[in-house]
Amino acid sequence: MDTQREGKFERILDGAINAFAESGFHQCPVSRIAQLAGVAEGTIYLYFKNKEEVLIRIFQERMGAFTAKMRLELAREETIEAHLRTIVRTHFSYMEQNRSLAIVTQLELRQSNPRIRLAISGPLLEYYHLIEGVIKQGIEHEEVPQTDLRVARQMIFGALDAATTDWVMARNPWTLVSGVEPMVTLFEGALRLNRPN
Amino acid sequence: MDTQREGKFERILDGAINAFAESGFHQCPVSRIAQLAGVAEGTIYLYFKNKEEVLIRIFQERMGAFTAKMRLELAREETIEAHLRTIVRTHFSYMEQNRSLAIVTQLELRQSNPRIRLAISGPLLEYYHLIEGVIKQGIEHEEVPQTDLRVARQMIFGALDAATTDWVMARNPWTLVSGVEPMVTLFEGALRLNRPN
Amino acid sequence: MDTQREGKFERILDGAINAFAESGFHQCPVSRIAQLAGVAEGTIYLYFKNKEEVLIRIFQERMGAFTAKMRLELAREETIEAHLRTIVRTHFSYMEQNRSLAIVTQLELRQSNPRIRLAISGPLLEYYHLIEGVIKQGIEHEEVPQTDLRVARQMIFGALDAATTDWVMARNPWTLVSGVEPMVTLFEGALRLNRPN
Amino acid sequence: MDTQREGKFERILDGAINAFAESGFHQCPVSRIAQLAGVAEGTIYLYFKNKEEVLIRIFQERMGAFTAKMRLELAREETIEAHLRTIVRTHFSYMEQNRSLAIVTQLELRQSNPRIRLAISGPLLEYYHLIEGVIKQGIEHEEVPQTDLRVARQMIFGALDAATTDWVMARNPWTLVSGVEPMVTLFEGALRLNRPN
DNA sequence: AATGAATGAGCCTTCATTCAT
DNA sequence: GATGAATGAAGGCTCATTCAT
């Protein structure tokens, strides 16, 4: 019973991700979500308060899983270089393996609707904290010079985000992970790692 | 007559920027654009094919002006350091002085609607080329090591974009320009400028 | 078993009366009836063909009980004065003691839906007949002058109905029974009872 | 322009009266109102906030007109007998000439929705006041014995209301006005008019 | 050219009813 | 019999677009 309920919840979430990826949150009729999820339209309202909540839960559930994975991967490494590489690699490979989620994340992350913004901000802030934590650790270990944490995080997140958006938008997408090394190199330079003396 | 036409065209564009900034492209009724522009609803359709085209023209006209200004500012400088600083400063100060445009740019830039994407891509690609041109010049002058142009541009644009989005989203926004120097420092590091040897 | 069946039938009827009284027949979801009756939604359809039939049975069962009680009370009295007083007193006190039923009766009695109208008409006609019977007896006993039976019944029923509706609608309801004597006096006058000669 | 606007407003009101009379407020789709009014569905929302407001305006506009007519007719007469007869005659003849309005009035007057109740109460209270005014005058002129004003008004209004409902519900409706004299006679008796001493 | 009243397609959501368990 | 999850039809309302003036 409970697994069936959960199964349907997940199916709707997946259907919504694909539906939103297809045409965007506002363009996408609830009927399309239902169709892709293989449930009736009304069923969606047994699991979600409304269409808006479906979008919100996508971020909470799926971005949450992404951040959890990121935290796990980071915990496996010690050095700041490894941490930076982990961030880039995990970000790119996760998005590459979840293209529809990437599309939704990249495109619908930016919502002027304040209710949605607020609900999205949670998982996003958590990710921001992870990135800032890595930088902070580098500074504390005196491997990275004093830097404005927010600006550094904006650079890292922004770079990953722009790369992902480029990849999502491209008609014939290259592999995203091919950008890992160049990106890591840029980050290392920006944070003054690996420099002679 | 022609100036009047142009005047009305511009008024609609400005009205639309503010209207879209208020509530987002999809949430914003055409009537609101007309209201802010001080014209009748029907008048908008004398100047634009439909609502979508209004958004597209905002990018073409206003992003075009931004890119033109950027090109002008870049032409005044010689060194790559100055070019990087010019990009960051111009980007931040322009957005800061055109908050509504910034909101529309940051939030509505990302549209899954392919028609809009395509039309937007023009001005965006031009900006990308400017950024890549600066990096390329640095590489050619051997001030910057060989780097993947696209990745470097993604980092620069993404960082500026993320910073602007942060600023746009913040309830009590700090000044965006205060981030110019930290950001430039990060970019210089990433591109290995100003380093001994 | 049979009593259990009957128990559940009655519980649904009571739940429905309260549910309909809360928000009206059309506003009230079947789920609310189920909730108040303490049964599952589907169970209702084991006892009633559909929602409409629940309303119909309320009238048939509860109005039937009301009419039966009225007939019983009337049988206890002989004079037309006593009969009139019995009608008013029984009507008012019954409604006062069954406020939810009164609400449903007053508000939902009037349904343009012809199927409901038809089904309701049974118990209502029976009540009409009781009232007309009292008047007729008065005429036959030459205590009441020749009168149009229907009009007289309309007056009596309408007056009781209007008083009940007023009471049902009032925010701070007075006691309905306090209106018994004034109303009886009016009826006696209308039917020319208690007049010298 | 203005008359055209007003014309459309009235047409929608008339369409709604007929539509509500057909199937009741809740059963009636807005599309049916539009159809009967000969306008598009959306047009209704240019003149009314929502479906509920259409019902409310029917009472305010049409019941208002009814009450105004009633007041006018009452002003023409002096004696309480004439006033009573005027009330009955005007009520019956107005309803007879506006059958659909009568249906809506009789059936939809009773709405559990508090917002609708409140909006309806205005015109209704005005009518109540007119009736009570007539009784009060009779008492002041010592033609009518002391009576509870509310109860007397409930009797008069209720009787008229019940008669109208009967007529509305009847398959083969008799003329309503044929009930004027019997009803007046009952009222006169109830209020102890025309009796030897 | 300019207007804004009118249009009607489209969508979110509710809820009566069904049916597998 | 009893359940309540699932269904899907239906309807109120919005709003981009048109067109008579």
Side-chain angles (χ1 to χ4, degrees):
Chain A
M1 291 297 126
D2 223 8
T3 56
Q4 205 172 27
R5 256 198 80 80
E6 201 160 321
K8 210 155 271 190
F9 179 89
E10 296 294 331
R11 262 164 59 202
I12 294 171
L13 231 45
D14 285 329
I17 289 171
N18 289 318
F20 293 161
E22 267 178 13
S23 52
F25 175 73
H26 290 108
Q27 276 61 42
C28 158
V30 173
S31 59
R32 182 64 182 147
I33 302 177
Q35 196 177 39
L36 291 182
V39 300
E41 222 170 318
T43 305
I44 291 172
Y45 291 86
L46 296 177
Y47 293 85
F48 301 89
K49 190 155 53 68
N50 51 33
K51 190 184 168 191
E52 197 172 292
E53 208 211 338
V54 179
L55 181 60
I56 289 172
R57 296 302 290 272
I58 288 176
F59 283 100
Q60 292 179 345
E61 300 280 327
R62 298 296 206 257
M63 281 288 286
F66 168 70
T67 322
K69 184 184 170 62
M70 183 68 82
R71 176 173 290 114
L72 211 68
E73 297 289 331
L74 285 174
R76 284 184 169 148
E77 305 290 342
E78 296 277 321
T79 67
I80 177 148
E81 287 91 349
H83 282 160
L84 283 180
R85 176 163 289 104
T86 298
I87 287 175
V88 180
R89 187 181 9 87
T90 307
H91 191 120
F92 282 177
S93 71
Y94 194 91
M95 294 301 171
E96 199 155 79
Q97 282 161 39
N98 299 274
R99 187 160 217 270
S100 287
L101 178 63
I103 294 176
V104 176
T105 306
Q106 299 310 117
L107 302 189
E108 309 298 335
L109 189 62
R110 323 227 170 163
Q111 287 288 338
S112 27
N113 183 327
R115 243 192 336 278
I116 300 185
R117 286 291 327 157
L118 189 65
I120 285 177
S121 65
L124 200 56
L125 283 179
E126 214 182 335
Y127 188 25
Y128 285 178
H129 289 325
L130 281 182
I131 298 176
E132 293 181 14
V134 167
I135 305 166
K136 205 156 139 193
Q137 190 196 332
I139 296 174
E140 281 163 2
H141 291 194
E142 298 194 338
E143 294 172 285
V144 171
Q146 279 297 334
T147 321
D148 186 313
L149 270 188
R150 181 169 68 197
V151 174
R153 180 261 296 163
Q154 284 167 347
M155 182 207 63
I156 291 178
F157 176 80
L160 299 173
D161 198 54
T164 309
T165 300
D166 267 19
W167 171 76
V168 154
M169 291 303 173
R171 304 270 179 111
N172 301 318
W174 60 90
T175 69
L176 194 43
V177 289
S178 69
V180 170
E181 282 317 313
M183 194 62 93
V184 170
T185 306
L186 289 173
F187 288 171
E188 288 173 344
L191 297 181
R192 261 67 178 184
L193 290 168
N194 296 333
R195 39 164 44 192
N197 286 54
Chain B
M1 291 302 115
D2 221 9
T3 54
Q4 204 175 25
R5 244 199 89 80
E6 200 159 323
K8 209 156 270 190
F9 179 89
E10 295 295 330
R11 264 163 57 202
I12 294 172
L13 231 45
D14 285 328
I17 290 172
N18 290 316
F20 293 162
E22 269 177 12
S23 51
F25 176 72
H26 290 108
Q27 277 62 43
C28 158
V30 173
S31 60
R32 181 64 182 147
I33 302 177
Q35 195 178 39
L36 290 182
V39 300
E41 259 180 276
T43 306
I44 291 173
Y45 289 84
L46 297 175
Y47 292 86
F48 301 88
K49 188 154 55 69
N50 51 34
K51 189 184 169 190
E52 199 171 289
E53 208 212 337
V54 179
L55 181 61
I56 290 172
R57 296 303 289 272
I58 287 175
F59 285 102
Q60 293 180 342
E61 300 281 326
R62 298 295 206 257
M63 281 289 286
F66 168 70
T67 324
K69 184 185 170 63
M70 183 68 83
R71 178 174 287 113
L72 211 68
E73 297 289 331
L74 285 173
R76 283 184 170 148
E77 306 290 343
E78 295 278 321
T79 68
I80 177 148
E81 287 91 348
H83 281 160
L84 282 180
R85 176 163 287 105
T86 297
I87 287 175
V88 180
R89 189 182 5 90
T90 307
H91 192 119
F92 282 179
S93 69
Y94 193 92
M95 293 302 172
E96 199 155 80
Q97 282 160 40
N98 298 275
R99 188 160 216 270
S100 287
L101 178 63
I103 294 175
V104 176
T105 306
Q106 298 312 116
L107 301 189
E108 310 299 335
L109 185 63
R110 321 228 169 163
Q111 289 288 338
S112 25
N113 183 327
R115 247 192 334 279
I116 299 185
R117 287 296 322 164
L118 189 65
I120 284 176
S121 65
L124 202 55
L125 283 179
E126 213 183 334
Y127 187 26
Y128 286 178
H129 289 325
L130 280 182
I131 297 175
E132 292 181 16
V134 167
I135 305 165
K136 204 156 145 194
Q137 190 196 334
I139 295 174
E140 281 164 2
H141 290 195
E142 299 194 338
E143 293 172 284
V144 170
Q146 279 297 335
T147 323
D148 185 313
L149 270 188
R150 183 170 67 197
V151 174
R153 180 263 295 164
Q154 284 167 347
M155 181 208 64
I156 291 179
F157 176 79
L160 300 173
D161 198 54
T164 308
T165 299
D166 268 18
W167 172 76
V168 154
M169 291 302 177
R171 303 272 178 107
N172 301 318
W174 60 90
T175 67
L176 194 44
V177 289
S178 69
V180 171
E181 282 315 314
M183 194 62 93
V184 171
T185 306
L186 289 173
F187 288 172
E188 287 173 345
L191 298 181
R192 263 63 179 185
L193 290 169
N194 294 334
R195 36 169 52 197
N197 286 52
Chain C
M1 289 304 114
D2 221 8
T3 54
Q4 204 175 28
R5 244 199 87 81
E6 200 159 324
K8 211 156 269 190
F9 179 89
E10 296 294 330
R11 264 163 59 202
I12 294 172
L13 232 44
D14 285 328
I17 289 171
N18 289 317
F20 292 162
E22 269 178 10
S23 50
F25 175 72
H26 291 108
Q27 277 62 44
C28 158
V30 172
S31 60
R32 180 65 181 147
I33 302 176
Q35 196 179 38
L36 290 182
V39 301
E41 260 180 273
T43 306
I44 291 174
Y45 289 85
L46 297 175
Y47 293 84
F48 301 88
K49 189 154 55 70
N50 51 34
K51 189 184 168 190
E52 200 172 287
E53 207 211 337
V54 179
L55 181 62
I56 290 172
R57 296 302 289 272
I58 287 175
F59 285 102
Q60 293 180 344
E61 299 282 326
R62 298 296 204 256
M63 281 289 287
F66 168 70
T67 323
K69 183 183 171 65
M70 183 68 82
R71 176 173 289 115
L72 211 68
E73 297 288 330
L74 284 173
R76 286 183 168 149
E77 306 289 343
E78 295 279 322
T79 68
I80 177 147
E81 288 91 346
H83 282 160
L84 283 180
R85 176 164 289 103
T86 298
I87 288 176
V88 180
R89 187 179 12 86
T90 307
H91 191 120
F92 282 179
S93 70
Y94 194 90
M95 293 302 172
E96 199 154 81
Q97 282 161 41
N98 299 274
R99 186 159 220 270
S100 287
L101 178 64
I103 294 175
V104 176
T105 306
Q106 299 311 114
L107 302 189
E108 310 300 335
L109 186 62
R110 321 229 171 162
Q111 289 289 338
S112 24
N113 184 328
R115 244 191 336 279
I116 299 186
R117 287 294 324 162
L118 188 65
I120 284 177
S121 65
L124 201 55
L125 284 180
E126 212 183 333
Y127 187 26
Y128 286 177
H129 288 325
L130 280 182
I131 297 176
E132 292 180 16
V134 167
I135 305 165
K136 204 157 142 194
Q137 190 196 330
I139 295 173
E140 282 164 1
H141 291 196
E142 298 193 339
E143 294 173 284
V144 171
Q146 279 297 333
T147 322
D148 184 313
L149 270 189
R150 181 169 68 196
V151 173
R153 179 263 296 163
Q154 285 167 346
M155 182 208 63
I156 291 178
F157 176 79
L160 299 174
D161 197 55
T164 309
T165 300
D166 268 19
W167 172 76
V168 154
M169 291 301 176
R171 303 268 179 110
N172 301 317
W174 59 91
T175 68
L176 195 42
V177 289
S178 69
V180 171
E181 282 316 313
M183 194 61 94
V184 170
T185 307
L186 289 173
F187 288 173
E188 288 174 345
L191 299 181
R192 261 67 178 185
L193 291 168
N194 295 334
R195 38 164 46 192
N197 288 48
Chain D
M1 292 295 129
D2 225 7
T3 55
Q4 205 172 27
R5 257 197 80 81
E6 202 159 322
K8 208 154 273 189
F9 179 88
E10 296 295 331
R11 263 164 59 202
I12 294 172
L13 231 44
D14 286 329
I17 289 171
N18 289 317
F20 292 161
E22 267 178 13
S23 51
F25 176 72
H26 290 110
Q27 277 60 44
C28 158
V30 173
S31 59
R32 181 64 182 147
I33 303 177
Q35 197 176 39
L36 291 181
V39 300
E41 220 171 319
T43 305
I44 291 172
Y45 291 86
L46 296 176
Y47 292 85
F48 301 89
K49 191 153 55 66
N50 50 36
K51 190 185 168 190
E52 196 174 292
E53 208 212 339
V54 179
L55 180 61
I56 289 172
R57 295 304 291 272
I58 288 175
F59 283 99
Q60 292 179 343
E61 301 280 328
R62 298 296 207 258
M63 281 288 286
F66 168 69
T67 323
K69 184 183 171 65
M70 183 68 81
R71 178 173 288 116
L72 211 68
E73 297 289 332
L74 285 174
R76 284 185 170 146
E77 306 289 343
E78 296 277 323
T79 68
I80 179 151
E81 287 91 348
H83 281 160
L84 284 179
R85 177 163 287 104
T86 298
I87 287 175
V88 180
R89 188 183 4 90
T90 307
H91 191 119
F92 282 178
S93 71
Y94 194 92
M95 293 302 171
E96 199 154 79
Q97 282 160 40
N98 298 274
R99 187 160 217 271
S100 287
L101 178 63
I103 295 176
V104 176
T105 306
Q106 298 312 115
L107 302 188
E108 308 300 335
L109 189 62
R110 323 225 170 165
Q111 287 289 337
S112 28
N113 182 329
R115 244 192 335 280
I116 299 184
R117 287 292 325 159
L118 189 65
I120 284 177
S121 65
L124 200 56
L125 284 180
E126 214 183 334
Y127 188 26
Y128 285 177
H129 288 326
L130 281 182
I131 297 176
E132 293 181 15
V134 167
I135 305 165
K136 205 159 145 193
Q137 190 195 333
I139 296 174
E140 281 163 3
H141 290 194
E142 299 192 341
E143 296 172 283
V144 171
Q146 280 297 334
T147 322
D148 185 312
L149 271 188
R150 183 170 66 196
V151 173
R153 180 261 297 162
Q154 284 167 348
M155 182 209 62
I156 292 179
F157 176 80
L160 299 173
D161 199 53
T164 309
T165 300
D166 267 18
W167 171 76
V168 154
M169 291 303 173
R171 302 272 180 108
N172 302 318
W174 61 90
T175 67
L176 194 45
V177 289
S178 69
V180 170
E181 282 316 314
M183 194 62 93
V184 170
T185 306
L186 289 173
F187 289 171
E188 286 172 346
L191 298 181
R192 263 67 178 182
L193 290 168
N194 294 334
R195 34 169 54 195
N197 285 53

